């Protein structure tokens, strides 16, 4: 039975062998698992949306296992594609259990960048029945000359955690590969699996063989136990500002100690280091607590994952590196430090706990400041209402398209018309124009008009029949060495003197260190000693202040949905009783001193402080959008003669300070600010150059890897800048420059959100002139102070914070609260208090006492 494209399953009986296997575990096959089996028998592509713990992975594989059990055959039957190598390996291990226990004649293997060369060669000669891989490895397989032979028998493609790939460059790569699989194996059905989906119709198009959502059966799983989510505040006063949440470290530690296994999620790698250090200082019981984030070495992360799977940990502090991690059924609770910034992201993280659909997942939200309390409340209400959020998948990038075109040429000659038609079957490229395709193809052929005289950019040629060929095996080898869409900021490896590599930090951070400087990494204090040829040499840190590395692009943006909900809660006093008393008092003070922002207006406060004037705009569009808007507004202020001196954006407000008072704020928020000011800023900033470097690397214009040598980030930047200048001068409409401008405007700067804000508040800006700071503005001004106060001036900063709170509240009794604001949330500047040096293991701290004895 179908209703609005959603299918209600007709239960069909499993084969007896499978029924017995389920019964031996005390299980019953779930309706959606039987629905997936029925859809497979009809040859229908499906998208399964099921809560975490609902058995969706088994549902995706069950049809393949049944088919192969009933009709054994040689060759590749099913491909499973995961965003994470570790997840593919874990799924393979879990799949072997039913296969071995039922004695099924099914071979299962993984294919990732870690697969040994001899196994990769064997997989091409004799493919397994089920192959588990990643988008990058799949594209590499499709670039091989014998790809059509390997994939000829394919019957099913399973796309796991599809929501995490759609709308990303890795997703562009995956769905382009899927379009080629559709050509090589038109009989193969596609299966998408996801627990959190905000745009199901868009994902149905991504799963489709022809980018048509109506071709994909949507199977949704209702029910499941509602998660149990609470908000935890610090015992002392709730901070006004800051985003690290360290004031609640004692409460987090007690939650870990009172539970079996806890994942403590944070939003940035710097925050992970600080939270881990704060918990370790409290760890008098020597609980085994680990640290997991993307800058640690692969070996260190795998060590933590293995300890987690083996039940040897009580807690792990993690970033998004574990959002899609291995499904550990033993996790008792999740702690989210800092507001989650998105409802779907929160659900994904909460789903790591308990991992059983019929039992509630337990989670604790730990807001770092008063604004975040409101955001956490909005998140919990959204989860209870069954809401999802997140941006709809964007169109595919031309840089990824260029890489795909070259990969397909490495497989074999193609006609441009045929490849264009094939590529338009991929949902991200369904609206690709012929001009963009032809220009991208031309770039891959010879670099384009401005670069065609350079032989190294010539990679393809056309024969007399119009077929496109690669120019030789060197081109194919270079593609495979540089294949992929993940572009890291230039990183420097850290190596312990006389010991192992510890991980990586960004090149710019190392460039700011002098010999003897301490910094916090991998849960320990390190001392920078010197630069080697390819690494920074470090030793054990001593006494003194320790800096904290920060990482570009690691901050999660506040979703549009949550931003709207925060505005609504601020305006609707009937929702205030659910807020803590301190937050209610804060909002009441704001209503008394100034006004509260309404959902359909932009509140802009202007007030003097010291020798400056501050303009605080309550935009609620997220830190990234506010940073860009700050750049644009300061340019407009320069033209109007206000003498802007600086700005800072938090997730909730934008604060700009100037030498002269802005008396008319309407022109600062006109929609035309996205015209001339935006163009000026983009052309003057280094953002386009950085974006072009990434675009050019993915498109194959720049090579990170070359036989016998590894190019440094600095060398690649120099090469990118030279080519960028040549193209701007001689071919300003080059396809890579078009791709660069599109990505800079649509992605890196959140122009879309700024445009929506300016349109929403057109002629609806409320300008309030105050004689002093308002309560709602205090968090932004404290953060502003933290940006410009130099190291060693913390006492002055504390006094400034106290004065701000005093002004906002007319009460000197709030001094202790302002003190907590600053001291709880360190910047990359040195801290007065140095975290303890680690004992024993650096990454999994403190074995249980019994084990030590």
């Amino acid at each position: 039975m179908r209703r609005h494209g959603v299918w209600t399953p007709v239960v069909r009986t499993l084969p007896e062998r499978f029924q017995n296997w389920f019964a031996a575990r005390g299980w019953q096959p779930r309706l959606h698992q039987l629905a997936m089996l029925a859809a497979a028998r009809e040859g229908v592509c499906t998208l399964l949306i099921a809560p975490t713990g609902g058995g969706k992975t088994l549902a995706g594989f069950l049809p393949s296992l049944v088919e192969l059990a009933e009709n054994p055959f040689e060759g590749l039957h099913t491909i499973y594609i995961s965003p994470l190598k570790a997840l593919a390996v874990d799924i393979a291990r879990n799949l072997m259990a039913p296969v071995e226990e039922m004695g099924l004649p099914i071979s299962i293997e993984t294919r990732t960048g870690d697969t040994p060369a001899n196994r990769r060669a064997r997989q091409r000669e004799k493919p397994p029945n089920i192959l588990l891989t990643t988008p990058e490895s799949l594209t590499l397989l499709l670039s091989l000359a014998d790809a059509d032979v390997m994939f000829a028998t394919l019957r099913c493609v399973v796309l796991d955690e599809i929501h995490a790939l759609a709308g990303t460059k890795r997703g562009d790569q995956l769905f382009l590969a899927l379009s080629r699989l559709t050509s090589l194996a038109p009989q193969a059905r596609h299966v998408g699996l996801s627990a959190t989906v905000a745009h199901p119709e868009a994902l149905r198009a991504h799963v489709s063989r022809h980018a048509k959502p109506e071709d994909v059966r949507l199977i949704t799983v209702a029910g499941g136990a509602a998660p149990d989510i609470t908000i935890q505040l610090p015992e002392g006063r709730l901070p006004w500002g800051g985003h690290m949440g360290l004031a609640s470290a004692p409460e987090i530690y007690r939650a870990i100690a009172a539970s079996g296994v806890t994942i403590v999620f944070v939003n940035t790698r710097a925050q992970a280091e600080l939270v881990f250090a704060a918990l370790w200082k409290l760890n008098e019981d020597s609980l085994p607590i680990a640290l997991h984030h993307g800058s640690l070495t692969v070996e260190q992360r795998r060590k933590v994952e293995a300890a987690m799977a083996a039940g040897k940990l009580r807690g792990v502090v993690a970033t998004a590196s574990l959002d899609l991690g291995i499904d550990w059924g033993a996790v008792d609770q999740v702690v989210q430090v800092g507001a989650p910034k998105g409802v779907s992201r929160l659900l994904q993280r909460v789903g790591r706990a308990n991992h059983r659909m019929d039992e509630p997942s337990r989670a604790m939200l730990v807001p770092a400041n008063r604004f975040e309390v409101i955001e956490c409340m909005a998140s919990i209400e959204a989860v209870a209402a069954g809401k999802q959020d997140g941006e709809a998948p964007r169109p595919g990038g031309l840089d990824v398209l260029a890489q795909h075109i070259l990969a397909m040429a490495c497989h074999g000659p193609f006609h441009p018309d045929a490849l264009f038609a094939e590529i338009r079957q991929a949902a991200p490229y369904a609206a690709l124009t012929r001009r963009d395709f032809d220009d991208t193809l031309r770039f891959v052929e010879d670099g384009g008009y401005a670069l065609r005289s350079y032989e190294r950019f010539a990679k393809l040629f056309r024969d007399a029949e119009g077929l496109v060929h690669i120019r030789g095996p060197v081109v194919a080898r270079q593609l495979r060495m540089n294949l992929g869409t993940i572009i890291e900021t230039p990183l420097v490896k850290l190596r312990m003197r006389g010991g192992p590599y510890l991980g990586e930090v960004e090149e710019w951070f190392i460039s700011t260190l002098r010999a003897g400087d301490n910094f916090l990494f991998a849960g320990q204090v390190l001392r920078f000693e010197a630069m080697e040829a390819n690494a920074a040499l470090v030793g054990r840190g001593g006494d003194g202040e320790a800096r904290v590395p920060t990482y570009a692009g690691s901050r999660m943006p506040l979703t549009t949905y949550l931003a709207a909900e925060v505005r609504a809660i601020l305006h609707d006093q009937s929702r205030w009783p659910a807020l803590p008393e301190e937050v209610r008092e804060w909002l009441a003070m704001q209503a008394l001193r100034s006004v509260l922002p309404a959902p359909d207006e932009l509140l802009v406060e202007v007030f003097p402080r010291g020798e400056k004037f501050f303009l605080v705009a309550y935009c609620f569009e997220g830190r990234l959008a506010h940073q860009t808007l700050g750049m644009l507004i300061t340019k407009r202020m320069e033209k109007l003669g206000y003498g802007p001196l600086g700005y800072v954006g938090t997730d909730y407000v934008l604060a700009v300070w100037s030498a002269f008072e802005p008396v008319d704020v309407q022109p600062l928020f006109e929609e035309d600010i996205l015209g001339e000011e935006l163009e000026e800023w983009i052309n003057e900033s280094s953002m386009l150059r950085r974006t072009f470097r990434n675009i050019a690397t993915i498109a194959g214009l720049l090579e990170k890897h070359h036989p016998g040598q590894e190019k440094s980030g600095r060398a690649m930047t120099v090469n990118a800048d030279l080519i960028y200048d040549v193209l701007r001068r001689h071919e300003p409409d080059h396809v890579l420059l078009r791709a660069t401008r599109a990505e800079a405007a649509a992605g890196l700067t959140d122009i879309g959100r700024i445009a929506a804000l300016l349109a929403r508040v057109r002629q609806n800006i409320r300008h309030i002139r105050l004689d002093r700071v308002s309560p709602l503005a205090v968090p932004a001004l404290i953060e502003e102070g933290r940006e410009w106060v130099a190291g060693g001036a913390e006492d002055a900063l504390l006094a400034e914070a106290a004065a701000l709170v005093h002004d906002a509240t007319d009460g000197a009794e709030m001094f202790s609260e302002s003190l907590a604001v600053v001291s709880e949330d360190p910047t990359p500047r040195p801290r007065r208090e140095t975290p303890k040096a680690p004992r024993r293991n650096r990454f999994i701290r403190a074995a249980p006492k019994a084990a030590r004895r």
Side-chain angles (χ1 to χ4, degrees), residues 391-689:
E391 303 300 322
R394 52 154 185 73
L398 299 181
D399 50 344
V400 185
L401 177 63
Q403 187 180 114
H404 179 76
I405 288 174
L406 184 56
M408 296 307 97
C410 292
H411 165 66
F414 64 81
H415 193 281
D417 294 345
L419 186 61
F420 176 65
E422 177 183 290
I423 285 171
R424 297 236 314 178
Q425 296 182 111
Y429 297 89
L432 179 70
T433 66
R434 187 61 193 243
R435 180 207 174 196
D436 281 343
F437 173 80
D438 287 341
D439 288 352
T440 306
L441 175 59
R442 171 68 189 279
F443 157 72
V444 180
E445 283 186 84
D446 59 15
Y449 169 76
L451 302 175
R452 63 183 179 181
S453 59
Y454 298 92
E455 185 177 350
R456 67 190 178 99
F457 298 129
K459 298 176 181 178
L460 305 177
F461 71 92
R462 304 192 191 205
D463 64 18
E465 298 179 354
L467 293 178
V468 179
H469 304 251
I470 61 168
R471 288 188 174 268
V474 173
V475 173
R477 184 170 67 249
Q478 286 301 105
L479 166 84
R480 291 168 187 140
M481 289 185 66
N482 293 276
L483 191 142
T485 62
I486 300 175
I487 302 296
E488 297 283 355
T489 304
L491 301 173
V492 173
K493 288 182 170 59
L494 301 178
R495 187 175 71 81
M496 184 70 71
R497 178 179 292 279
Y501 287 99
L502 304 179
E504 299 171 318
V505 296
E506 291 188 2
E507 192 175 59
W508 74 267
F509 177 76
I510 288 293
S511 69
T512 67
L513 298 178
R514 293 176 297 179
D517 284 352
N518 290 333
F519 64 99
L520 188 65
F521 185 81
Q524 59 185 321
V525 178
L526 302 176
R527 182 184 67 255
F528 174 69
E529 296 187 354
M531 282 297 301
E532 293 182 325
N534 60 351
L537 192 64
V538 299
R540 301 285 184 190
D543 296 333
E545 299 162 339
R547 298 178 60 182
V548 182
T550 56
Y551 301 85
S554 61
R555 184 171 301 283
M556 297 176 175
L558 179 69
T559 63
T560 303
Y561 174 82
L562 273 187
E565 283 299 295
V566 171
R567 289 197 304 270
I569 291 174
L570 287 173
H571 183 68
D572 185 359
Q573 295 190 24
S574 68
R575 301 173 72 176
W576 289 11
L579 294 169
E581 181 180 358
E582 289 172 288
V583 177
R584 295 198 305 270
E585 291 176 351
W586 177 52
L587 298 182
M589 285 191 295
Q590 173 69 18
L592 182 65
R593 172 62 57 84
S594 178
V595 297
L596 286 160
D600 57 348
E601 71 179 12
L602 176 63
L603 172 62
V604 179
E605 296 175 336
V606 176
F607 50 83
R609 179 150 188 86
E611 298 181 354
K612 296 179 287 187
F613 287 90
F614 284 83
L615 179 153
V616 179
Y618 297 90
C619 307
F620 297 98
E621 292 298 336
R623 188 178 300 260
L624 297 178
H626 293 164
Q627 287 173 343
T628 300
L629 184 59
M631 296 176 190
L632 302 179
I633 285 179
T634 50
K635 281 197 165 293
R636 178 66 57 96
M637 291 177 76
E638 286 176 3
K639 295 179 180 179
L640 296 176
Y642 292 135
L645 301 173
Y647 66 92
V648 66
T650 71
D651 272 323
Y652 313 104
V653 305
L654 168 67
V656 184
W657 50 100
S658 58
F660 304 101
E661 179 180 358
V663 293
D664 183 9
V665 302
Q666 184 71 40
L668 302 180
F669 296 92
E670 296 286 356
E671 291 178 84
D672 64 0
I673 200 172
L674 296 177
E676 184 177 346
E677 278 84 4
L678 177 62
E679 189 67 25
E680 286 179 9
W681 169 63
I682 285 180
N683 288 334
E684 292 172 6
S685 75
S686 61
M687 185 191 64
L688 277 186
R689 292 182 181 272

Side-chain angles (χ1 to χ4, degrees), residues 261-391:
V261 179
T262 301
I263 299 181
V264 180
F265 278 115
V266 297
N267 292 337
T268 68
R269 283 169 281 184
Q271 188 181 16
E273 293 282 353
L274 290 164
V275 170
F276 182 68
L279 291 176
W280 181 240
K281 287 160 63 178
L282 299 168
N283 193 8
E284 295 180 355
D285 299 321
S286 296
L287 300 177
I289 301 174
L291 176 65
H292 192 289
H293 62 70
S295 290
L296 300 175
T297 63
V298 173
E299 294 76 18
Q300 292 154 2
R301 295 199 302 271
R302 296 295 175 264
K303 181 179 180 181
V304 171
E305 292 161 11
M308 192 77 170
K312 297 179 180 179
L313 294 179
R314 292 290 296 279
V316 57
V317 179
T319 60
S321 60
L322 286 186
D323 269 5
L324 305 176
I326 297 170
D327 296 334
W328 294 299
V331 176
D332 295 285
Q333 67 178 347
V334 161
V335 175
Q336 166 65 44
V337 184
K341 306 304 171 191
V343 182
S344 297
R345 183 180 299 120
L346 174 60
L347 282 170
Q348 185 73 38
R349 291 183 166 186
V350 170
R352 296 297 104 201
N354 198 16
H355 217 75
R356 288 178 287 275
M357 176 180 168
D358 301 324
E359 299 177 21
S361 298
R362 288 195 301 124
M364 186 173 80
L365 305 187
V366 182
N369 58 58
R370 300 182 178 208
F371 268 125
E372 286 198 350
V373 171
I374 301 173
E375 184 186 331
C376 287
M377 175 179 148
S379 301
I380 292 176
E381 291 179 353
V383 169
K387 300 290 187 181
Q388 297 272 5
D389 61 3
E391 303 300 322

Side-chain angles (χ1 to χ4, degrees), residues 76-124:
L76 184 61
H77 180 282
T78 296
I79 293 179
Y80 165 91
I81 303 163
S82 162
L84 300 175
K85 290 189 290 186
L87 187 53
V89 173
D90 187 64
I91 294 295
R93 183 168 55 247
N94 292 337
L95 265 184
M96 291 307 299
V99 168
E100 292 174 352
E101 291 165 9
M102 284 186 278
L104 303 179
I106 299 174
S107 56
I108 302 172
E109 294 187 15
T110 60
R111 172 65 181 254
T112 70
D114 298 332
T115 304
N118 60 341
R119 192 184 308 167
R120 294 200 300 265
R122 177 173 51 77
Q123 287 172 350
R124 291 174 61 184

